Amino acid sequence: MVIRSALLYLSQLEGLKNFATRFPPFKKLTTRFVAGETIDEAVAAIRRINEAGCSASFDHLNESVTSPAETTAEVSEYLHILEQIELAKIDSNVSIKLSQFGLEIDPELAYKNARIVVAEAARRGNFVRVDMEGSLVTQVTLDIFRRLRAEFDLNNVGIVLQSYLYRTYEDAQALLQIPARIRICKGAYNEPPEVAYPEKKDVDENYLRVMKLLLASGTYHGIATHDPRIIEATVQFARQEGIGKEAFEFQMLYGVRRDLQLRLARDGYKVRVYVPYGKHWYPYFMRRLAERPANIWFVIKNMLKG
Ligand SMILES: Cc1cc2nc3c(=O)[nH]c(=O)nc-3n(C[C@H](O)[C@H](O)[C@H](O)COP(=O)(O)OP(=O)(O)OC[C@H]3O[C@@H](n4cnc5c(N)ncnc54)[C@H](O)[C@@H]3O)c2cc1C
């Protein structure tokens, strides 16, 4: 828990970010979790994922935009991704973060930018997942999602909820009324005990409650986790309730538990791999290290190897 908090703290340090992104050995290590710096590298990675029987979700990494001009560039990148998905004939949707569309500059700007991308996805028959970030922006992210969902179809825009937040079960109940497609995950940010369960066992228990609520709802949702116990509980619950394998999807991160991704796909489950790419990989990479302390040994070992 201490290591997790320390790494999540480091993930937000600009100075370290600038150092890490210029330090070649560190950069090389990111290839475990990041598909590359360019869209072509991400397309190639997604092709391999598709060949293995899984679908994908593009994520252009850039959480710290500081000017409206940068947010416009992010919108262009996503329009380009949506075009590339069609041209390359790959099976993928896209994931966006409202912070990269200007949430911290002005929520209205983030809404307008996200709207452009969702409209383009709708035009092309594709889907945009709005990722969830830190708890300070949970409510505004949900508000913007609701505005988008009011205008666009169930199958054009979806949202993410995090089981570490106390509020999540109720948020899920409310969103299911619209209805909305939800990705449930545990949550990757440093949150205080006022808003989030400090104990992992409570986070996991809440995850299972929300997973059951989602699966029983009849809407197509994403069960995003690498936790074998939660995956097994999902498989069991679906079987017990007579919910088909096509009624939901498992989602996992690029480079994490590839064996499990392939096994589930071979067993006939739908599996979607979240594929991040881009130059601004530092905070994303640090969150992945925080999730599993053993990953730090992987970093140290590889650095010593040169
Ligand atoms: C598709 C997808 C989308 C996500 N979107 C969001 C989002 O929008 N907002 C958000 O806050 N979080 C998001 N997350 C991250 C999520 O919240 C968790 O931080 C992350 O998935 C780790 O939790 P876990 O469910 O795998 O369980 P954990 O209990 O953390 O891990 C279970 C097991 O999975 C393996 N594992 C987990 N993480 C790693 C890792 N980094 N490296 C190696 N092995 C690992 C280990 O074997 C570990 O024992 C997303 C995760 C996925 C899979």
Side-chain angles (χ1 to χ4, degrees), residues 244-288:
K245 290 179 178 175
E246 70 300 332
F248 64 96
E249 64 186 29
F250 286 111
Q251 299 184 349
M252 295 190 212
L253 301 177
Y254 181 80
V256 181
R257 293 301 311 263
R258 191 156 181 271
D259 57 327
L260 196 52
Q261 297 171 14
L262 297 180
R263 203 187 74 211
L264 286 165
R266 269 199 305 267
D267 288 349
Y269 289 97
K270 290 182 174 285
V271 179
R272 187 176 299 277
V273 182
Y274 183 98
V275 181
Y277 78 97
K279 289 189 174 52
H280 304 281
W281 45 261
Y282 176 78
Y284 178 88
F285 180 72
M286 293 300 279
R287 288 200 295 276
R288 301 298 75 83

Side-chain angles (χ1 to χ4, degrees), residues 207-219:
Y207 193 113
L208 293 174
R209 287 175 67 219
V210 178
M211 174 273 286
K212 290 177 183 170
L213 182 70
L214 299 189
L215 255 56
S217 72
T219 299

Side-chain angles (χ1 to χ4, degrees), residues 132 162 183 186-188 200 225-226 288 291-292 295:
M132 190 55 80
Q162 300 149 318
R183 170 200 295 154
K186 291 190 186 178
K200 181 174 157 50
T225 185
H226 317 90
R288 301 298 75 83
E291 276 154 9
R292 192 164 172 260
N295 287 342

Side-chain angles (χ1 to χ4, degrees), residues 2-269:
V2 176
I3 295 179
R4 177 178 185 273
S5 301
L7 286 166
L8 289 177
Y9 171 73
L10 294 177
S11 77
Q12 294 165 328
L13 292 187
E14 283 296 310
L16 204 56
K17 178 175 102 183
N18 293 337
F19 169 75
T21 43
R22 288 200 193 97
F23 188 55
F26 205 83
K27 216 164 121 173
K28 221 174 77 193
L29 290 172
T30 62
T31 54
R32 161 137 186 225
F33 297 116
V34 178
E37 292 202 349
T38 66
I39 190 165
D40 289 346
E41 289 168 289
V43 168
I46 290 179
R47 240 187 246 295
R48 290 192 295 275
I49 287 165
N50 287 170
E51 280 161 13
C54 303
S55 55
S57 191
F58 265 95
D59 167 35
H60 183 241
L61 298 167
N62 195 0
E63 299 165 37
S64 48
V65 298
T66 49
S67 69
E70 281 178 272
T71 72
T72 306
E74 286 302 310
V75 170
S76 302
E77 184 75 17
Y78 270 95
L79 298 182
H80 185 47
I81 296 172
L82 287 164
E83 184 187 29
Q84 283 303 305
I85 292 172
E86 245 178 69
L87 291 176
K89 298 190 172 56
I90 48 177
D91 179 359
S92 184
N93 61 31
V94 300
S95 291
I96 61 171
K97 284 189 173 51
L98 292 181
S99 60
Q100 80 196 116
F101 286 163
L103 191 60
E104 280 155 30
I105 303 168
D106 173 10
E108 200 54 26
L109 174 67
Y111 161 71
K112 285 184 179 145
N113 282 332
R115 194 191 165 280
I116 296 170
V117 175
V118 178
E120 181 66 359
R123 194 179 73 77
R124 293 181 182 273
N126 210 325
F127 177 80
V128 177
R129 176 77 63 182
V130 180
D131 282 355
M132 190 55 80
E133 302 176 70
S135 63
L136 292 177
V137 296
T138 305
Q139 190 56 51
V140 65
T141 302
L142 290 173
D143 292 345
I144 291 175
F145 168 72
R146 279 176 173 277
R147 288 172 73 186
L148 294 167
R149 179 65 188 89
E151 190 179 349
F152 298 98
D153 192 72
L154 175 69
N155 290 321
N156 295 134
V157 62
I159 186 71
V160 179
L161 293 177
Q162 300 149 318
S163 74
Y164 63 18
L165 296 184
Y166 302 134
R167 59 178 289 168
T168 286
Y169 190 83
E170 280 166 27
D171 283 337
Q173 284 178 315
L175 288 165
L176 289 175
Q177 298 297 319
I178 304 177
R181 279 174 59 174
I182 298 170
R183 170 200 295 154
I184 181 68
C185 66
K186 291 190 186 178
Y189 298 82
N190 230 351
E191 299 294 358
E194 289 75 31
V195 300
Y197 295 104
E199 301 291 332
K200 181 174 157 50
K201 70 170 179 29
D202 297 323
V203 177
D204 291 357
E205 207 172 285
N206 198 35
Y207 193 113
L208 293 174
R209 287 175 67 219
V210 178
M211 174 273 286
K212 290 177 183 170
L213 182 70
L214 299 189
L215 255 56
S217 72
T219 299
Y220 187 87
H221 300 293
I223 307 300
T225 185
H226 317 90
D227 188 332
R229 285 185 319 111
I230 289 184
I231 290 171
E232 186 50 34
T234 306
V235 166
Q236 289 302 337
F237 181 75
R239 203 173 281 156
Q240 173 195 316
E241 298 297 311
I243 296 163
K245 290 179 178 175
E246 70 300 332
F248 64 96
E249 64 186 29
F250 286 111
Q251 299 184 349
M252 295 190 212
L253 301 177
Y254 181 80
V256 181
R257 293 301 311 263
R258 191 156 181 271
D259 57 327
L260 196 52
Q261 297 171 14
L262 297 180
R263 203 187 74 211
L264 286 165
R266 269 199 305 267
D267 288 349
Y269 289 97

